[in-house]
Amino acid sequence: MRKLIFTIILILTPSMAFAHTGVGETTGFLNGLVHPISGIDHVLAMVAVGVFAFVLGGRAIWLVPAAFVSMMVGGFVLGVNQVYVPFVELGIALSSIVIGGAAALGRPMPVSFAMALVGFFAIFHGHSHGAEMPETVGGLSYAIGFITATATLHAVGILAALGAAKIIGRHGRLIAQIAGGIFALGGVGVLAGWL
C-alpha cells in the first residue's frame, strides 16, 4: 500500500514544462523516449490508459493501449505533415480527465467504444509529438522513442493495477478505479494550471 501511495504521489508531482514539441532537442531515440515522460500531462494520460484497460478487463487490457498507440501514430503523421488539428493542447489536457474518469466510473462498455475513446485523445498526443518533427532518420528514431515510452507508460498502468489487485485481492479493481479518479483530478490540475 505504501508503494502504491508513493507511486501516486510521484506521478502527481508537478513538472516545470509540458512534454510538447519545440521544447529542447527533438531528434534521436533517447530524446523521443524522454519526451513523453518529461511532462505531467502526458504521463497522467498514458498511465490512465493502462489503468482504464485494466478496469475494463478481458481483451481491453491489450486492445485499448494498442488503439491508443495506433491512433497516436496517425496523429503524429498529421503533425509531421503540418495538418491542422484544432485544440491540441486542450485535447491533451482533457485526455487524462476523460480517460481517468472513465476508469474511475468503472462502467462496462464495449471494447470498441473504449478503443475509440482513447484513440480520439491519442490523435492530440501524436500531433503534438509530430508537429515539429524533422524529416530525417533522427526524426524516425525520435518517433520510435516516444512510441516506446508511451507503450511503457501504458504497461506501467496495467502492471500497477494488476499488482494492486494481486496484493489487495478482490478490492484491487476498486483501487484501480480510485487511481483513475486521481488521474482525472490531475488532469483538472493541469488544465487549471495547478500542475
Side-chain angles (χ1 to χ4, degrees):
M1 188 65 170
R2 287 181 190 163
K3 288 182 182 180
L4 178 63
I5 292 171
F6 176 75
T7 301
I8 291 169
I9 290 170
L10 186 62
I11 288 171
L12 293 177
T13 301
S15 64
M16 293 303 292
F18 293 143
H20 296 253
T21 57
V23 179
E25 188 179 339
T26 57
T27 59
F29 177 80
L30 186 56
N31 292 329
L33 197 62
V34 171
H35 194 242
I37 61 173
S38 65
I40 191 73
D41 53 348
H42 286 284
V43 173
L44 287 171
M46 299 310 108
V47 178
V49 168
V51 170
F52 179 46
F54 169 82
V55 169
L56 292 174
R59 297 179 315 139
I61 286 181
W62 66 274
L63 285 174
V64 167
F68 189 98
V69 171
S70 298
M71 293 303 289
M72 183 182 68
V73 170
F76 168 73
V77 170
L78 294 175
V80 166
N81 290 299
Q82 301 296 312
V83 175
Y84 175 72
V85 173
F87 308 113
V88 170
E89 294 298 321
L90 181 60
I92 291 170
L94 289 175
S95 63
S96 58
I97 297 170
V98 174
I99 296 167
L105 290 174
R107 301 276 188 246
M109 69 176 63
V111 174
S112 58
F113 181 79
M115 292 169 66
L117 178 70
V118 301
F120 172 74
F121 289 107
I123 293 170
F124 298 114
H125 286 269
H127 191 277
S128 75
H129 290 309
E132 297 176 10
M133 181 63 55
E135 296 179 23
T136 66
V137 175
L140 177 61
S141 61
Y142 172 80
I144 293 168
F146 80 74
I147 290 167
T148 301
T150 297
T152 301
L153 288 169
H154 293 334
V156 165
I158 294 167
L159 293 174
L162 284 169
K166 185 169 181 132
I167 293 167
I168 298 168
R170 64 187 176 121
H171 299 294
R173 187 171 189 272
L174 176 61
I175 296 300
Q177 288 179 256
I178 291 169
I182 291 169
F183 293 129
L185 287 175
V188 170
V190 167
L191 195 59
W194 304 330
L195 296 177

